[in-house]
Amino acid sequence: MVSVLRTVNTIESLRRHVCEWRAQDLRTAVVPTMGALHDGHLKLVEQGLRLADRVVVTLFVNPTQFAPHEDLDTYPRDERGDARKLKEIGAHLIFAPSALEMYPDGFATSVSVAGPAKAGLEDVHRPHFFDGVATVVAKLFIQAGCDYAVFGEKDYQQLKVVTRMAQDLDIPVTVIGVETVREPDGLAMSSRNAYLSPEERKTAPELYRALRSLANEIREGSEPAAAVARAEDRLTARGFKVDYVAARNAENLGELTSRNEPVRILAAARLGKTRLIDNISV
Ligand code: PAF
């Protein structure tokens, strides 16, 4: 489908578009992204299009969620390619603000998140990350004023953090999670997969395979901590530097306390310079 797709760079024009749609009783969805769109992002847009009459996709590489040693400067960017893909799929509006539009001189406020943001997973390895995400996502929710916001389950802890944040701050948006999209060999799609060397790319799906075996073991009654340790050893033997592998309560990401709770397995590991994250349900 080829739709009329507009790109706006200011909060004022974003608001004008969404207000016009709301005045016509149209339902709206926002899909926050950092651009360099792959099929995983397009699935989020498709979900937005199923839920709403108009879909806004935000393209903003948010500096406040990167630590100084991380890849802000080299993070893949492709605004023209993104616009082409979004036009083909039928999105209605791109919001691509500058850093100054989002964080004008004198900007002095940040959203500080706890609960799932302090689960001892990503937060241990990227301590600045979730406050940066929560701040920019809260701003995007308020700026766009959409009925729905769509996020990928690939960043499962992030999904839980932004859902909690919207609820706690009474932002009237329904947050929807969409299942992770995978390459044919199982590797979760991610903009950062572009950093993998050909050799690392061959090894990378081992992360998903290790998580699947771990999920099977837990399902069949293995003690989670021992099964997690086996998965970590397996990944280390294949050349990963493991940040964490964890089996957690799927809702609040807390430690498991009983056999009956819903379980989510989450992991992060480095292959060379590339940090991969993934998660699956048990
Ligand atoms: O998942 C992402 O791409 C980013 O963390 C998000 C949600 C767009 C906030 O910058």
Side-chain angles (χ1 to χ4, degrees), residues 32-34 41 58 60 62 65 75 129 133 136-137 140 151 155 158:
T33 81
M34 298 207 298
H41 294 112
T58 74
F60 180 62
N62 173 37
Q65 67 190 71
Y75 194 85
F129 179 67
V133 167
V136 79
V137 170
L140 292 169
F151 290 83
D155 297 285
Q158 169 176 278

Side-chain angles (χ1 to χ4, degrees), residues 108-137:
T109 303
S110 143
V111 177
S112 166
V113 279
K118 299 280 189 230
L121 301 164
E122 281 302 286
D123 45 303
V124 173
H125 301 275
R126 306 184 71 193
H128 55 283
F129 179 67
F130 285 121
D131 283 0
V133 167
T135 302
V136 79
V137 170

Side-chain angles (χ1 to χ4, degrees), residues 38-172:
H38 50 67
D39 284 357
H41 294 112
L42 300 181
K43 280 278 181 290
L44 307 184
V45 180
E46 279 170 6
Q47 179 63 21
L49 289 164
R50 274 192 289 275
L51 291 163
D53 306 296
R54 295 289 181 271
V55 174
V56 181
V57 179
T58 74
L59 307 179
F60 180 62
V61 183
N62 173 37
T64 66
Q65 67 190 71
F66 288 78
H69 65 276
E70 289 183 338
D71 55 345
L72 173 63
D73 293 338
T74 54
Y75 194 85
R77 288 164 170 85
D78 178 18
E79 255 193 55
R80 283 174 66 172
D82 292 344
R84 187 176 32 78
K85 290 174 192 167
L86 292 172
K87 193 172 166 62
E88 269 167 28
I89 201 171
H92 301 89
L93 189 69
I94 293 175
F95 176 50
S98 66
L100 206 59
E101 179 74 5
M102 290 299 274
Y103 301 111
D105 287 343
F107 187 88
T109 303
S110 143
V111 177
S112 166
V113 279
K118 299 280 189 230
L121 301 164
E122 281 302 286
D123 45 303
V124 173
H125 301 275
R126 306 184 71 193
H128 55 283
F129 179 67
F130 285 121
D131 283 0
V133 167
T135 302
V136 79
V137 170
K139 283 169 69 68
L140 292 169
F141 283 178
I142 293 165
Q143 291 161 356
C146 286
D147 302 301
Y148 298 97
V150 189
F151 290 83
E153 284 187 347
K154 154 91 181 358
D155 297 285
Y156 194 78
Q157 191 177 3
Q158 169 176 278
L159 172 63
K160 294 293 167 191
V161 170
V162 297
T163 304
R164 181 82 250 167
M165 178 275 293
Q167 211 175 315
D168 290 350
L169 297 183
D170 305 312
I171 303 179

